[in-house]
Amino acid sequence: MMRGSLVLLLACAVLLSFGCKRKRSGTEDETGPIVIGAYLSMTGSMATFGESSARGAQIAVDEANAKGGLLGRPIELVVLDDQGRSEEVGNAVSRLIDVNGAAAIMGEVASTLSLVAGRICQRRKVPMVSPSSTNTKVTQVGDYVFRACFLDPFQGYAMAKFARENLKLSKVAILKDVRNDYSVGLSKAFYEAFIKLGGQIVAQESYSAGDTEFSAQLTKVKALEPEGLYVPGYYTEVGGIARQARRLGIKGPLMGGDGWESPELRNIGGADIVGSYYSNHFASDAPSDRAQSFIKIWRDKYGTAAPALGALGYDGTLMIIDAIRRANSTEPTKLRDALAATKDLDAVSGKVTLDPNRNPVKPAVVVRVTDDGEVFEAEIPPG
Amino acid sequence: MRWPLRIAIAVGLLILYWGVGYVLEDNIIEYVIRIVLFCGINAILAAGLNLINGTTGQFSIGHAGFMAVGAYTAAWTVMQLELALYGGRTDLALYEVAIVFLPALGLGGLMAALAGVVVGVPSLHLRGDYLAIVTLGFGEIIRLIFNNWPALGGALGYSGDRPLGLSVHTNFFWVASVATLVITLIANFTYSSYGRALESIRDDEIAAEAAGIPTTRFKVLAFVISAASAGVAGGLFAHLQSSIQPNDFKFDKSIDMVVMIILGGLGSVSGAVLGAFFVGLTLELTRDLSEYRLIAYALVLILLMLFRPQGLLGTREVRIWGART
Amino acid sequence: MDVFLQQLVNGLSIGSVYALIALGYTMVYGVLRLINFAHSEVFMVGSYVSFFSAQWLGFDAKQPAAFGYGRALLVLVLAMAASALLGVAIERFAYRPLRHARRMTPLITAIGVSILLQNLGILIFGPNPRPFPMIIPEQRYELGGVVVTNIKLLIFVVSAVLMVGLTYLVQKTWTGKAMRAVSTNLNAAKLMGISPNRVIAMTFVIGSALAAAGGILFGLDQAKIEPLMGVLVGLKAFVAAVLGGIGNIAGAAAGGLLIGVAEQLTAGYISADYRDAITFAILIGVLLVKPEGMFGSSKIEKV
C-alpha cells in the first residue's frame, strides 16, 4: 500500500511539473509554427460532424501553408477530441490554450459545446470561431467569440419561406427533438415565420434523440392532415421518421435543417426520404467557382462529395488565417479586432461579412434529397 | 480529539489550502489545475457512493441523478444570491464568494439528500439486483425532469441566463476544503458504531435485523448521506463548468463513480479516494485513447470481479493521523 | 378510434419484441438469480450478425426481393447461433466463476460485460446507425383505417410461435423440467443428478437465440441498427420480465406486450417525452406494490 500511495504521489509530482506555466509558444515568440487549435467531436455519436469539420480545417491550413504560411511561419492545426461531452470540451480547450499554445480556437458544431468553450475562450481572452453552431447565444458570450455560419432563427425562417413560397404549403406539422436545443430552436423559428407568412401549424409533436419508434406521434399528426412535415432534427432519427411517416400514409414533403446532412440519411431513410428538402449552408453542387474548386479538392482528397460541415470547417479556419494576416500578429486583442472586421471574405459557403454581433450575414440554401445525393433547389437571401 | 485542537487543525488546513491554491494558480497552467479539481470532485463522489455501495452493501447505480440535483440547486442559488447581493459584479473577494458559495453548496447537498429520501425510502427494501435497476431508473427520471424544465434551461442546460454562464468559483481552495470536510465526516461515520451497523447490514441483513438494528432506517441514512455528498460534488462541478446540461449526468457518470469505488476497494474510504484520483488522472493522460476508455473501464470491472474483487485496498485504509479506526 | 387502434397495433408489435427479449431475462434470473445486463447486447449482436450475414449471402439493397425466404431463414439461423454462442461464452467466462461469490460481484460483472460489449460494438461497427437489410421487403396494408405492414404481422407470428415453442419446451420436455428444477432449488437439482452447468448453459442458449430473433425483427421494423440499440430496449424488456413476475415465462410475454402498448398510448395521448419514463414508472410501481410481479408468487426468504 505504501507503494500505491508513493506511485500516486509520483504521478502528482509529474503532473505538476508538466503543468508549470511557461510562456505560451506560438504567440509572443517569433519562431515555431502558429498553432490553430480545434476542439471537435472525433468520437461519440457526433463523430461524423467533427470529422468533416476537421477535414475542412486541414484543407484550409494546408492551402495557407502551401502559400508560405502566415507571417513567415508555418501554421499547425491541432485537433483535440471532446467526445461530444461538455466536460471534455473544457479540458480540450484549456489544453489547446495552455499546452499547445493555440493563437485561436476553432470549434464546435453543437451549440451547447460551443457555449462551454466560448465562455472559457472569452475568459482567457483567446479568439474562438465556431464553424457551424447555429444557436444565437453562442456569439452573445462575448467579443472574443465569432462564428462562420448563419443562425437558427434565420434557418427556420428560410425553410418556412421556402415551404410557403416555393412549395406552396399552407398546413404543416412539426416534429422536433425535444432533447436537442438546436431542434427546439429551429422549430420555434419555423413556427413563428410560417404563421407570419400566413401558414398554419396543425400540430407540434416531439421525440427524443435515440428513439426508434415515432408511430405514436406520427399517427396523431396524420389525423390532422398536414400538407408537409418539418423535422428539424439530426439525420440519425430523420431516416426512421421518414419511413414510418410514409408507412402510415403521410404524403406531403418532409423538410428539415442542416442537421440532416449525412450520407447515412439516404441509407436509413431509403426511398422514403428521397424528394425531401432541407436547409443547409452549402450545396455540394453549388455553382460558384470558389465552391467548385473546394469541392474538387475535397473529392480528390477524400473521394466523396464535400459536406456543408466540411465547407464550414474550412471557412471558420479561413477566417482565423485571414484575420491573422490582416492583423499581422497573433496578439489576442489585435486578432480579435481583425476578426471582427472580417468583410467580404471569399469563403467557400459564400462571402463572409461579420455583423456587429460577430455573426456572418449569409444566405441559406435549400437542397432536395435525391437517390444518391442532394441537389441545389433554392437560395434564400438573408432577410 | 478535543474540540479546540480540531478547530485549530481545520483553520490551519484552510489557510494551507488557500496558500497552495494561490501558488498553484500563479504557476500551474489551468489545464492541469482543472484535472486536479476534477480529481477532488471525484473523490467526494466516490467517498459518498462508497458509503452506501461499499460499507452498507446496497448497490446503487443512479447517483448521477443526485449530483444533478445538487448541481442545479447550487447553480440556481448562486445566481439568485449573487444577483441580490452583488448586482452583476464578477470580481468578488474570497469572503464574498464564501457568503454565496457555502450556502449554495449546502443547499445543493440538502436538496440532493431530500431526493435521496424520495428515492431511498421506497427502494431500499428491495434486494440487490432490483435496487440497482430502480436506482438506475430514478437516476434517469431525475435527468429527464431537468431536461424538461424550461426555467432551468431544459436540454440546452443551465447557465444562469448570463452570457458568461455560471460564475467559476470552484478552485483549489474550495475543492480541497470541501473534500477534506466531506471525506472526514464520512470516514468518521464509517468507523463509528453507525458504520459497524451498516457493515452488519452488508454482511447479513437478516441477522442484523434480528439483532435489533433498524435496517431500513440505517440503509436510508447511508443512502441519504451519499446522495448529499454527490449533491455537494455536483455544486462544485457546476461552478467549474460555467454551465450544466442534463447530459452531464447520464448513466455514464454513475458508472464512472462505480468504477472508482470498485477500483479502490468497496468499503474503504481511502480506497475510494485513490480510485477517484486514478480515474481522474488516467482520463486525461489517456486522452488519445478516449475511444477505448469505456472498454478499459468495463474490462477493469470484469477482471477485478474475477480476480481481485476487493479492489486495490479491499477494506483496509490508509491511516491518516487523527482518524479513528 | 382509428388512432387508438393504430397505436394499439404498433404497441403490440414493439411489445412482442420486448416479450422475446424479456424471456431471456426471466429465464436466466430464474436459474441464476442474476440480472443478465449483457442480454441487451446479445440482442444487438444478433442484429449485427444478421446484417453481416445478409451481406455475406449476397443481399443487394437495390433488389431486396431477390434475396428469397430461404436465405432469410438462413440469416435468422446464423444470427440465433451467433447470439447463443455469445450468451454461453458470457456465462462461462464471466458468470460461472462467480456463482458462489457474494451477490454484488456478479451484478457488477454483468454491468461490466454489458458496457464492454456496447463499446466494442461502437469500436468495431462504428457509432453511426446502419440501415438494416430488408431481407423481407416491407409491404404496407391498410385495414379499415389502420396501417399494418407484413413485418409487423411477421413479428406477431414469429414471437407467438417462439413463445409457444418455449412453453412447450419448459413444460413438456425433460430439459424444461431440469430448468424448472434448477430454478426452484439448485442444490436439490444437483442431488437429483441434474448437471446445473448444462442446464444453465442451455438456458443462456435459448434466451440468447430468442433475443437474436427479436433483434432481426426489430431491425426489419426500424430499418436501422446501432451499437447502443440494446440499451433502452433491454431495459424495457427487463421491466416487462419483472412486471410479469420474474421467472415466469407467460408473465414475461404478457409484460412485454403490456409495456409496448402502454408506451405507445403514453406517447400518443400524453406526450412523447414521457414514453421512456412510463416504463420506469411501471417498474417502480410494480416493485413498490407487488414486487413479485403480476403472475409471480411471493418468496419467503428462509434464514
Side-chain angles (χ1 to χ4, degrees), chain A residues 130-142:
Chain A
S130 165
S132 14
S133 284
T134 44
N135 190 304
T136 324
K137 289 200 180 143
V138 172
T139 38
Q140 286 172 352
V141 168

PDB file of all heavy atoms in Angstrom, chain A residues 130-142:
ATOM      1  N   SER A 130     -16.643  29.579 -34.143  1.00  0.00           N
ATOM      2  CA  SER A 130     -17.409  28.347 -34.288  1.00  0.00           C
ATOM      3  C   SER A 130     -17.768  28.187 -35.751  1.00  0.00           C
ATOM      4  O   SER A 130     -18.325  29.091 -36.354  1.00  0.00           O
ATOM      5  CB  SER A 130     -18.672  28.398 -33.450  1.00  0.00           C
ATOM      6  OG  SER A 130     -19.551  27.374 -33.877  1.00  0.00           O
ATOM      7  N   PRO A 131     -17.465  27.037 -36.325  1.00  0.00           N
ATOM      8  CA  PRO A 131     -17.770  26.889 -37.750  1.00  0.00           C
ATOM      9  C   PRO A 131     -19.240  26.715 -38.022  1.00  0.00           C
ATOM     10  O   PRO A 131     -19.758  27.223 -39.006  1.00  0.00           O
ATOM     11  CB  PRO A 131     -17.000  25.623 -38.140  1.00  0.00           C
ATOM     12  CG  PRO A 131     -16.885  24.847 -36.871  1.00  0.00           C
ATOM     13  CD  PRO A 131     -16.808  25.841 -35.769  1.00  0.00           C
ATOM     14  N   SER A 132     -19.936  25.960 -37.165  1.00  0.00           N
ATOM     15  CA  SER A 132     -21.312  25.614 -37.527  1.00  0.00           C
ATOM     16  C   SER A 132     -22.307  25.595 -36.377  1.00  0.00           C
ATOM     17  O   SER A 132     -23.343  24.975 -36.500  1.00  0.00           O
ATOM     18  CB  SER A 132     -21.333  24.244 -38.222  1.00  0.00           C
ATOM     19  OG  SER A 132     -20.128  23.578 -38.047  1.00  0.00           O
ATOM     20  N   SER A 133     -22.037  26.281 -35.284  1.00  0.00           N
ATOM     21  CA  SER A 133     -23.044  26.352 -34.227  1.00  0.00           C
ATOM     22  C   SER A 133     -24.043  27.431 -34.580  1.00  0.00           C
ATOM     23  O   SER A 133     -23.682  28.580 -34.772  1.00  0.00           O
ATOM     24  CB  SER A 133     -22.395  26.673 -32.884  1.00  0.00           C
ATOM     25  OG  SER A 133     -21.752  25.540 -32.389  1.00  0.00           O
ATOM     26  N   THR A 134     -25.310  27.052 -34.628  1.00  0.00           N
ATOM     27  CA  THR A 134     -26.300  27.983 -35.134  1.00  0.00           C
ATOM     28  C   THR A 134     -27.140  28.646 -34.054  1.00  0.00           C
ATOM     29  O   THR A 134     -27.983  29.478 -34.359  1.00  0.00           O
ATOM     30  CB  THR A 134     -27.247  27.245 -36.112  1.00  0.00           C
ATOM     31  OG1 THR A 134     -27.602  25.986 -35.529  1.00  0.00           O
ATOM     32  CG2 THR A 134     -26.542  26.985 -37.425  1.00  0.00           C
ATOM     33  N   ASN A 135     -26.922  28.322 -32.799  1.00  0.00           N
ATOM     34  CA  ASN A 135     -27.715  28.935 -31.741  1.00  0.00           C
ATOM     35  C   ASN A 135     -27.257  30.364 -31.477  1.00  0.00           C
ATOM     36  O   ASN A 135     -26.071  30.623 -31.340  1.00  0.00           O
ATOM     37  CB  ASN A 135     -27.600  28.091 -30.463  1.00  0.00           C
ATOM     38  CG  ASN A 135     -28.573  28.528 -29.394  1.00  0.00           C
ATOM     39  OD1 ASN A 135     -28.602  29.681 -28.987  1.00  0.00           O
ATOM     40  ND2 ASN A 135     -29.391  27.608 -28.945  1.00  0.00           N
ATOM     41  N   THR A 136     -28.218  31.274 -31.389  1.00  0.00           N
ATOM     42  CA  THR A 136     -27.907  32.697 -31.220  1.00  0.00           C
ATOM     43  C   THR A 136     -26.983  32.961 -30.038  1.00  0.00           C
ATOM     44  O   THR A 136     -26.115  33.821 -30.095  1.00  0.00           O
ATOM     45  CB  THR A 136     -29.203  33.495 -30.994  1.00  0.00           C
ATOM     46  OG1 THR A 136     -30.229  32.923 -31.771  1.00  0.00           O
ATOM     47  CG2 THR A 136     -29.031  34.935 -31.352  1.00  0.00           C
ATOM     48  N   LYS A 137     -27.174  32.191 -28.962  1.00  0.00           N
ATOM     49  CA  LYS A 137     -26.464  32.503 -27.719  1.00  0.00           C
ATOM     50  C   LYS A 137     -24.950  32.409 -27.836  1.00  0.00           C
ATOM     51  O   LYS A 137     -24.223  33.009 -27.045  1.00  0.00           O
ATOM     52  CB  LYS A 137     -26.919  31.536 -26.617  1.00  0.00           C
ATOM     53  CG  LYS A 137     -28.309  31.772 -26.147  1.00  0.00           C
ATOM     54  CD  LYS A 137     -28.507  31.157 -24.773  1.00  0.00           C
ATOM     55  CE  LYS A 137     -29.926  31.404 -24.308  1.00  0.00           C
ATOM     56  NZ  LYS A 137     -30.474  30.299 -23.566  1.00  0.00           N
ATOM     57  N   VAL A 138     -24.469  31.635 -28.809  1.00  0.00           N
ATOM     58  CA  VAL A 138     -23.035  31.351 -28.836  1.00  0.00           C
ATOM     59  C   VAL A 138     -22.200  32.626 -28.918  1.00  0.00           C
ATOM     60  O   VAL A 138     -21.266  32.838 -28.146  1.00  0.00           O
ATOM     61  CB  VAL A 138     -22.703  30.400 -30.009  1.00  0.00           C
ATOM     62  CG1 VAL A 138     -21.213  30.250 -30.185  1.00  0.00           C
ATOM     63  CG2 VAL A 138     -23.341  29.049 -29.762  1.00  0.00           C
ATOM     64  N   THR A 139     -22.532  33.511 -29.869  1.00  0.00           N
ATOM     65  CA  THR A 139     -21.722  34.720 -30.000  1.00  0.00           C
ATOM     66  C   THR A 139     -22.090  35.765 -28.963  1.00  0.00           C
ATOM     67  O   THR A 139     -21.379  36.759 -28.791  1.00  0.00           O
ATOM     68  CB  THR A 139     -21.871  35.344 -31.398  1.00  0.00           C
ATOM     69  OG1 THR A 139     -23.221  35.202 -31.816  1.00  0.00           O
ATOM     70  CG2 THR A 139     -20.964  34.648 -32.384  1.00  0.00           C
ATOM     71  N   GLN A 140     -23.193  35.544 -28.250  1.00  0.00           N
ATOM     72  CA  GLN A 140     -23.562  36.501 -27.208  1.00  0.00           C
ATOM     73  C   GLN A 140     -22.654  36.379 -25.996  1.00  0.00           C
ATOM     74  O   GLN A 140     -22.699  37.210 -25.103  1.00  0.00           O
ATOM     75  CB  GLN A 140     -25.015  36.276 -26.782  1.00  0.00           C
ATOM     76  CG  GLN A 140     -26.015  36.770 -27.794  1.00  0.00           C
ATOM     77  CD  GLN A 140     -27.423  36.361 -27.425  1.00  0.00           C
ATOM     78  OE1 GLN A 140     -27.632  35.590 -26.491  1.00  0.00           O
ATOM     79  NE2 GLN A 140     -28.397  36.878 -28.147  1.00  0.00           N
ATOM     80  N   VAL A 141     -21.849  35.328 -25.954  1.00  0.00           N
ATOM     81  CA  VAL A 141     -20.989  35.112 -24.790  1.00  0.00           C
ATOM     82  C   VAL A 141     -20.032  36.280 -24.609  1.00  0.00           C
ATOM     83  O   VAL A 141     -19.767  36.727 -23.494  1.00  0.00           O
ATOM     84  CB  VAL A 141     -20.208  33.785 -24.948  1.00  0.00           C
ATOM     85  CG1 VAL A 141     -19.120  33.674 -23.916  1.00  0.00           C
ATOM     86  CG2 VAL A 141     -21.150  32.616 -24.839  1.00  0.00           C
ATOM     87  N   GLY A 142     -19.481  36.761 -25.720  1.00  0.00           N
ATOM     88  CA  GLY A 142     -18.563  37.889 -25.564  1.00  0.00           C
ATOM     89  C   GLY A 142     -17.861  38.218 -26.857  1.00  0.00           C
ATOM     90  O   GLY A 142     -18.032  37.544 -27.877  1.00  0.00           O
TER      91      GLY A 142
END
